[in-house]
Amino acid sequence: MAAYLQWRRFVFFDRETVKEPPGPDGAGGKPFALPPGIAVCDSGRGSLVFGDILHGGGRRRRRALWPAWGSIWFLPRSLQLSSFQAYKLRVTHLYQLKQHSILVSVGEDEEGINPLVKVWNLEKRDGGNPLCTRIFPAIPGNKPTVVSCLTVHENLNFMAIGFADGSVVLTKGDITRDRHSKTQILHEGSYPVTGLAFRQSGKTTHLFVVTTENIQSYMLSVKDYPHLELDTHGCGLRCSSLSDPSQDLQFIVAGNDCVYLYQPDERGPCFAFEGQKLIVHWYRGYLIIVSKDRKTSPKSEFAGNEAQNSDKQVLNIYDLCNKFIAYSSIFDDIVDVLAEWGSLYVLTRDGKIHVLQEKDTQTKLEACKSMLFRKNLFEMAINLAKSHHLDSDGLSEIFRQYGDHLYNKGNHDGAIQQYIRTIGKLEPSYVIRKFLDAQRIHNLTAYLQTLHLQSLANADHTTLLLNCYTKLKDSSKLEEFIKTSESEVRFDVETAIKVLRQAGYYSHAVYLAEKHAHHEWYLKIQLEDIKNYQEALCYIGKLPFDQAESNMKRYGKILMHHVPNETTELLKILCTDYRPSGDNEGPGMLEGKKANSEEFIPVFANNSRELKAFLEHMTEVQADSPQGVYDTLLELRLQNWAHEQDEQIKEKLHNEALTLLKSGRFKTVFDKALVLCQMHNFKDGVLYLYEQGKLFQQIMHYHMQNEQYKKVIEVCELYGDQEACLWEQALGYFARKEEDCKEYIAAVLKHIESKNLMPPLLVVQTLAHNSTATLSVIKDYLVNKLQKQSRQIEQDEQRIQKYREETTRIRQEIEELKASPKIFQKTKCSICTSALELPSVHFLCGHSFHQHCFESYSESDSECPTCMPENRKVMDMIRAQEQKRDLHDQFQHQLKCSNDGFSVVADYFGRGVFNKLTLITDLPSGKAATTIEAGLQRELLIHAKRST
């Protein structure tokens, strides 16, 4: 039970007296006066509705302008009063429906107890008056009795009339017509009925019936209308009402001691509002009570409207939700309180109308907040603001001030609850700074939790909350925070992982990283903090290809160091046909991807065994592996071969390396492969690569360095036809040897002689420096050479004689052509061999042609078609000799005149003027400088001879 004496009082309504509207002359401002005798009233559909009554046994003297008694009056907002006579004597009850233009009245047309119910349609007219659609007597059974109260359902299907004898008549059906409605007695009792109210909840309809002694509830939506007695005390006339949905449509009954609220099946709360209640209404969430001023004498409870003119009455407007009095004022003899046009209208017995205009929300809040804040009544201020639908910014400011008040009092738990209610409006740093003290960390934790639940936290807030959890060592709260579902995550996951890792909560950090697919953080914690390398490797195997590739490049070395076999296997899969280990799409799954195996070679640092297995696997399953894979595998095999001590294993490694070289994968990286073989002194590989690169001089030079004489001869025999200078270099090599190399020199001289590779003089000079090479070594060579030269001289002398004779003959012919006529005796054409016929063409060379044959085959009119090919060869030779002569002269001239003779020679070399350049390889070390110089001179002499 709430005692209203403790309730705060406010003035949320402005009181004014209704004035008459200004007249044509501008006069006005007098209080508006109602007709005398107004006893009942109601409001709705834009008008205040009044009914008058004839008092006593005779008629009072009335002004001529007032109509007869029993009239119903309408007062619109313009204050233009209108009326019509509804009854001959009096109007006792009025009910104006709010959703329909239907007015129901009860009155009397003749003396005695004979009440009539009339239903009026205000939208239709009958002779200028509203149309009366239905009239029926209000008599329960056959006993006439006085009507005490009336109510109508807004759906026009129910109407209830209460009587002074305790009866209630219910009309069900269309209340505006006799045909479509049925009237029956719903309730009979011994006490006068003082109040009725319909309650509609969904499809369920209830009727509350209150008498002076009890309260009952009838369910009208069920057959037989079951009822329930709610209480054993009642109230006086007009002391009951039905609240709006803000109070759950409760039935309000005002007794002299308390105000009770009822549901259809039970009694609700009650409020201790003392005083004799005269009128009760509900208006926009407010309870309006008119009670007798306690300074005056009491009145009859049932006949509450028979107050004396001298009586003072108090009108209180209560806010039941927030428990305060919104307005309180004293009036003289109130007839009723009506609600229309957004205001309350108080009718007094003297005919005046007082209007109570509710202040706007902002004005009310400003008026009360200062008082409430001064008295620290923040809860009331909050409730008041909520009930008046104050915006969130205004509410947040009240919460902040309330929180500050509690904080200053030392009530940190209460303060943080108020600050939590400001989230979204108040800057979080304002609150956080107040609770950074270690003793208040649990309050700060509660605030940060709510901040995250509303998805308003940033990374700093997440960091701070997790630090609070770790400081409090509250593992359960920490797990609850991080183990929310994906859709409920309200924090920055990466920040949370960092904080948990820093605080040593590795398992929690790993859980977050795995759940939210922060692969980098998961692997970093597993590898650097937990040291669970096997788990990290399995996790990488479940990642999509791109992420698995990048993480293996980043963490491959660490994994290879600790779990080399498993890491190697994963790399094999990653570089061949990778599919995440959790991918179970079946036979129709997407085609696997493969990484560049060359990029993972650095991962195998200090793990040569695993590297060899990986590279060999790649070359087996992917013949088109990158070149770097083959290069690294070759280097690895050469290293193993060079360091192996076991001869059988060494031979096996030797064959593997040579097989790899011969696979044809090193054509584009010939130099690199050659360097690798030379570094590891892999003789067979070096020679193979020399041969593949056609570096025949290097092959021979290699054998010379190793003094392998037979190999030198073999090289010359194999490649001498492709590079003739090999024999010359071999001769120079053997000539410089102090050992007995007669056998090899003889073999070289034999080939030089057969191919005529060197002049004999140069051969003699070359062998002159060899102390072991005697004349017998070159005897056969010189004899054969001299014999050949002798034969050549004889041939040359014969050819000279032939040329001389030919020249003499040609000169004689020229002279004959000049001095004697030429007789053409040819009888056949030199082209077609047919007999000559005129016209014909004859040449001095002796050839004759038909003119048509000549024209058909001749390319020039002045040349013989038969002799022309030979003549052209001769002319070409002559021109070539002239050009060579000119080129030689030009070269000599430029060489003499140029300041840089080397650039001239280089230019002619670039143009290919000189003969082939012979490569001279390095000589074996350990020879005297004079020997090297003599060899170079011999080489140069060979080229000089060739040029001549």
Side-chain angles (χ1 to χ4, degrees):
M1 179 180 293
Y4 83 101
L5 294 176
Q6 299 177 355
W7 288 20
R8 299 291 170 180
R9 293 177 179 268
F10 301 100
V11 182
F12 285 171
F13 290 81
D14 294 324
R15 173 178 173 177
E16 293 182 1
T17 302
V18 177
K19 307 288 185 180
E20 291 183 353
D25 55 354
K30 296 180 180 180
F32 183 83
L34 288 173
I38 296 297
V40 294
C41 53
D42 203 353
S43 62
R45 308 301 292 179
S47 296
L48 304 182
V49 186
F50 311 111
D52 60 13
I53 186 171
L54 175 63
H55 291 276
R59 292 179 180 269
R60 288 186 184 177
R61 195 175 180 120
R62 306 187 62 185
R63 289 186 293 176
L65 59 87
W66 300 126
W69 298 107
S71 297
I72 295 178
W73 302 77
F74 296 95
L75 181 66
R77 197 164 193 176
S78 62
L79 302 182
Q80 300 298 319
L81 194 62
S82 63
S83 68
F84 71 96
Q85 187 171 4
Y87 298 90
K88 295 178 180 180
L89 291 182
R90 62 181 63 87
V91 180
T92 60
H93 296 83
L94 290 173
Y95 193 93
Q96 173 66 62
L97 277 80
K98 304 300 185 285
Q99 300 177 12
H100 304 277
S101 294
I102 299 296
L103 174 66
V104 180
S105 62
V106 179
E108 298 176 1
D109 282 340
E110 56 186 26
E111 295 293 342
I113 302 175
N114 190 20
L116 291 176
V117 179
K118 295 184 180 182
V119 181
W120 307 90
N121 189 333
L122 303 181
E123 293 181 346
K124 296 182 180 181
R125 294 288 165 176
D126 181 14
N129 296 330
L131 176 64
C132 181
T133 62
R134 184 179 181 187
I135 302 175
F136 63 95
I139 298 175
N142 297 322
K143 314 181 287 183
T145 183
V146 176
V147 175
S148 58
C149 53
L150 168 70
T151 186
V152 182
H153 198 293
E154 286 293 333
N155 64 11
L156 299 178
N157 286 327
F158 293 103
M159 179 169 60
I161 304 173
F163 296 90
D165 65 353
S167 301
V168 176
V169 174
L170 176 68
T171 300
K172 183 177 181 182
D174 189 352
I175 66 168
T176 63
R177 298 182 182 182
D178 290 324
R179 289 184 181 179
H180 301 89
S181 63
K182 180 181 178 182
T183 301
Q184 67 182 86
I185 297 175
L186 178 68
H187 172 81
E188 291 182 333
S190 304
Y191 304 103
V193 178
T194 57
L196 297 169
F198 287 108
R199 182 183 189 272
Q200 187 70 40
S201 177
K203 295 182 179 181
T204 304
T205 304
H206 288 88
L207 174 64
F208 291 100
V209 179
V210 58
T211 68
T212 56
E213 297 298 330
N214 57 35
I215 303 169
Q216 297 190 32
S217 169
Y218 286 84
M219 183 181 292
L220 304 182
S221 55
V222 178
K223 189 177 180 180
D224 298 333
Y225 308 139
H227 69 281
L228 176 69
E229 186 175 17
L230 300 176
D231 217 332
T232 56
H233 60 81
C235 66
L237 284 172
R238 299 193 297 170
C239 291
S240 63
S241 182
L242 190 70
S243 69
D244 59 18
S246 66
Q247 278 291 334
D248 199 19
L249 297 174
Q250 296 186 90
F251 187 55
I252 302 170
V253 177
N256 288 338
D257 296 328
C258 294
V259 174
Y260 299 91
L261 277 66
Y262 296 91
Q263 293 284 355
D265 55 352
E266 63 179 354
R267 191 178 80 175
C270 67
F271 300 89
F273 299 150
E274 297 180 355
Q276 183 181 354
K277 312 301 186 301
L278 304 176
I279 301 173
V280 173
H281 285 296
W282 185 268
Y283 169 74
R284 291 187 176 180
Y286 293 112
L287 176 62
I288 301 168
I289 297 180
V290 178
S291 58
K292 187 174 179 60
D293 191 353
R294 282 178 288 182
K295 296 179 181 179
T296 62
S297 59
K299 308 194 299 182
S300 169
E301 176 182 319
F302 180 68
N305 57 344
E306 299 293 334
Q308 301 296 324
N309 293 337
S310 60
D311 287 347
K312 296 290 185 180
Q313 297 167 358
V314 179
L315 184 147
N316 288 321
I317 302 177
Y318 298 96
D319 187 329
L320 299 183
C321 292
N322 300 311
K323 296 182 173 55
F324 65 84
I325 301 174
Y327 183 77
S328 181
S329 181
I330 298 176
F331 292 86
D332 292 330
D333 202 0
I334 297 175
V335 175
D336 208 341
V337 180
L338 304 177
E340 192 66 25
W341 309 309
S343 302
L344 290 173
Y345 292 86
V346 182
L347 281 65
T348 56
R349 190 68 62 186
D350 58 5
K352 294 181 180 180
I353 302 177
H354 304 273
V355 59
L356 299 180
Q357 180 68 45
E358 187 177 9
K359 298 178 181 180
D360 63 86
T361 303
Q362 194 62 35
T363 303
K364 289 189 290 186
L365 292 175
E366 291 298 330
C368 70
K369 272 199 309 186
S370 58
M371 181 189 75
L372 293 176
F373 289 177
R374 284 198 308 271
K375 297 183 179 181
N376 299 325
L377 299 176
F378 291 97
E379 287 291 347
M380 181 175 289
I382 291 168
N383 293 334
L384 178 63
K386 286 182 176 179
S387 64
H388 287 80
H389 308 291
L390 183 65
D391 60 19
S392 57
D393 292 333
L395 278 172
S396 177
E397 179 60 21
I398 298 175
F399 294 143
R400 183 195 65 79
Q401 294 185 33
Y402 191 15
D404 291 346
H405 168 72
L406 294 175
Y407 182 85
N408 293 330
K409 288 176 61 178
N411 184 1
H412 298 130
D413 294 340
I416 203 65
Q417 294 304 317
Q418 299 307 316
Y419 288 134
I420 286 173
R421 300 167 81 176
T422 67
I423 290 176
K425 299 297 180 182
L426 182 64
E427 177 62 35
S429 59
Y430 177 87
V431 181
I432 293 172
R433 285 196 298 267
K434 291 178 177 290
F435 293 89
L436 285 176
D437 190 277
Q439 296 178 351
R440 304 169 191 168
I441 193 171
H442 63 282
N443 300 125
L444 180 59
T445 303
Y447 179 81
L448 293 171
Q449 281 177 339
T450 310
L451 197 65
H452 282 80
L453 287 175
Q454 298 186 19
S455 301
L456 296 173
N458 57 29
D460 294 331
H461 299 149
T462 302
T463 302
L464 189 56
L465 176 58
L466 292 173
N467 283 327
C468 289
Y469 284 142
T470 56
K471 294 291 183 184
L472 293 172
K473 300 187 183 303
D474 192 346
S475 298
S476 60
K477 283 287 186 182
L478 181 59
E479 289 186 6
E480 180 183 351
F481 177 74
I482 67 173
K483 292 186 178 181
T484 54
S485 64
E486 185 93 25
S487 59
E488 296 178 355
V489 175
R490 298 181 176 90
F491 57 88
D492 184 80
V493 176
E494 186 171 358
T495 301
I497 295 172
K498 291 179 182 178
V499 175
L500 291 171
R501 184 191 183 198
Q502 185 177 3
Y505 286 80
Y506 301 128
S507 60
H508 296 75
V510 164
Y511 171 83
L512 262 179
E514 182 177 12
K515 179 179 179 182
H516 299 283
H518 285 260
H519 310 308
E520 181 180 351
W521 282 108
Y522 179 91
L523 294 171
K524 188 177 293 186
I525 296 170
Q526 287 282 20
L527 296 174
E528 298 177 7
D529 301 319
I530 303 178
K531 310 293 185 183
N532 193 341
Y533 305 103
Q534 187 66 47
E535 188 66 29
L537 190 65
C538 294
Y539 184 82
I540 293 176
K542 300 176 183 178
L543 296 179
F545 172 77
D546 294 335
Q547 296 173 356
E549 181 185 25
S550 61
N551 282 294
M552 282 305 296
K553 290 178 181 178
R554 179 175 299 176
Y555 301 110
K557 290 184 179 179
I558 299 176
L559 294 170
M560 183 62 67
H561 179 70
H562 293 90
V563 281
N565 295 331
E566 294 82 354
T567 305
T568 304
E569 291 303 316
L570 179 57
L571 285 175
K572 289 179 181 179
I573 298 172
L574 186 64
C575 296
T576 52
D577 186 20
Y578 179 77
R579 292 181 179 86
S581 57
D583 190 354
N584 297 319
E585 297 182 14
M589 69 176 64
L590 297 176
E591 182 180 355
K593 297 182 179 180
K594 58 183 179 180
N596 186 347
S597 52
E598 184 177 4
E599 297 176 355
F600 292 97
I601 293 176
V603 170
F604 293 89
N606 302 321
N607 293 83
S608 58
R609 182 174 60 85
E610 286 75 16
L611 176 59
K612 183 172 181 290
F614 172 72
L615 296 176
E616 289 177 346
H617 174 78
M618 293 307 302
T619 56
E620 290 173 3
V621 300
Q622 283 186 4
D624 59 344
S625 294
Q627 185 60 45
V629 171
Y630 287 92
D631 295 345
T632 308
L633 180 59
L634 175 62
E635 182 177 4
L636 198 59
R637 286 183 175 179
L638 291 175
Q639 287 179 355
N640 295 338
W641 171 81
H643 295 90
E644 184 57 52
Q645 301 298 326
D646 190 298
E647 290 299 327
Q648 292 183 350
I649 300 177
K650 192 177 184 72
E651 180 64 22
K652 179 182 177 182
L653 295 174
H654 174 276
N655 295 333
E656 289 179 354
L658 194 59
T659 301
L660 182 61
L661 277 176
K662 294 181 178 181
S663 64
R665 298 292 307 182
F666 299 93
K667 294 179 180 179
T668 57
V669 289
F670 172 83
D671 295 338
K672 186 175 183 179
L674 181 59
V675 169
L676 288 174
C677 292
Q678 290 175 338
M679 287 174 55
H680 296 89
N681 196 25
F682 190 56
K683 170 184 173 183
D684 292 344
V686 171
L687 295 176
Y688 173 77
L689 291 173
Y690 280 161
E691 181 179 359
Q692 293 298 308
K694 297 184 179 181
L695 301 177
F696 307 129
Q697 295 188 44
Q698 278 78 354
I699 296 175
M700 189 172 69
H701 180 64
Y702 179 86
H703 292 309
M704 288 178 177
Q705 285 182 326
N706 292 280
E707 297 185 350
Q708 296 174 338
Y709 303 147
K710 291 183 179 181
K711 292 290 185 180
V712 172
I713 299 298
E714 289 178 2
V715 170
C716 292
E717 291 175 347
L718 289 172
Y719 312 116
D721 294 339
Q722 301 179 51
E723 197 163 348
C725 63
L726 294 177
W727 291 104
E728 302 169 7
Q729 294 180 19
L731 180 63
Y733 169 73
F734 289 122
R736 291 188 293 272
K737 288 294 181 180
E738 297 300 328
E739 304 173 13
D740 187 2
C741 300
K742 295 180 180 180
E743 178 184 356
Y744 305 111
I745 292 174
V748 173
L749 289 176
K750 182 178 180 182
H751 193 82
I752 290 174
E753 178 187 356
S754 63
K755 298 294 184 180
N756 193 24
L757 298 178
M758 293 176 65
L761 182 58
L762 186 58
V763 172
V764 173
Q765 290 178 350
T766 301
L767 295 175
H769 299 279
N770 191 317
S771 59
T772 61
T774 59
L775 186 60
S776 60
V777 176
I778 60 172
K779 174 182 177 181
D780 294 338
Y781 168 76
L782 291 176
V783 171
N784 293 335
K785 199 66 177 176
L786 291 174
Q787 289 176 352
K788 286 182 179 181
Q789 288 180 354
S790 298
R791 289 193 296 269
Q792 184 65 38
I793 291 171
E794 292 177 359
Q795 292 175 1
D796 291 342
E797 288 178 350
Q798 292 175 1
R799 192 176 292 110
I800 291 170
Q801 183 61 31
K802 179 180 177 183
Y803 288 158
R804 285 176 177 173
E805 293 175 355
E806 184 69 22
T807 302
T808 302
R809 184 183 60 79
I810 292 172
R811 286 177 178 173
Q812 291 176 355
E813 289 181 359
I814 292 172
E815 289 297 328
E816 290 178 358
L817 290 174
K818 289 180 179 181
S820 304
K822 177 67 175 178
I823 298 173
F824 301 101
Q825 296 178 345
K826 286 278 189 177
T827 59
K828 292 183 179 182
C829 176
S830 298
I831 293 177
C832 66
T833 66
S834 299
L836 282 174
E837 296 177 356
L838 295 177
S840 59
V841 179
H842 305 275
F843 286 90
L844 294 176
C845 61
H847 296 113
S848 300
F849 308 92
H850 293 113
Q851 185 174 0
H852 63 273
C853 290
F854 175 76
E855 291 175 352
S856 299
Y857 291 95
S858 175
E859 295 180 7
S860 173
D861 294 341
S862 59
E863 291 187 79
C864 173
T866 303
C867 299
M868 184 177 62
E870 189 65 26
N871 292 339
R872 286 190 176 180
K873 290 182 181 179
V874 175
M875 295 303 296
D876 290 340
M877 293 173 62
I878 294 173
R879 281 194 294 269
Q881 291 175 358
E882 291 177 353
Q883 288 177 359
K884 286 184 178 181
R885 182 188 63 190
D886 295 340
L887 186 63
H888 176 75
D889 295 342
Q890 182 181 2
F891 171 72
Q892 293 295 336
H893 177 73
Q894 289 184 3
L895 194 60
K896 290 179 181 179
C897 298
S898 175
N899 294 327
D900 186 3
F902 181 78
S903 63
V904 175
V905 175
D907 179 55
Y908 276 84
F909 264 113
R911 289 156 59 184
V913 173
F914 300 107
N915 289 337
K916 184 175 81 170
L917 176 64
T918 302
L919 177 65
I920 302 176
T921 58
D922 296 334
L923 295 175
S925 58
K927 302 298 180 182
T930 56
T931 306
I932 297 173
E933 186 177 17
L936 291 174
Q937 290 177 355
R938 284 194 297 275
E939 298 292 345
L940 292 174
L941 181 58
I942 292 172
H943 290 290
K945 293 294 183 181
R946 288 180 180 174
S947 300
T948 56

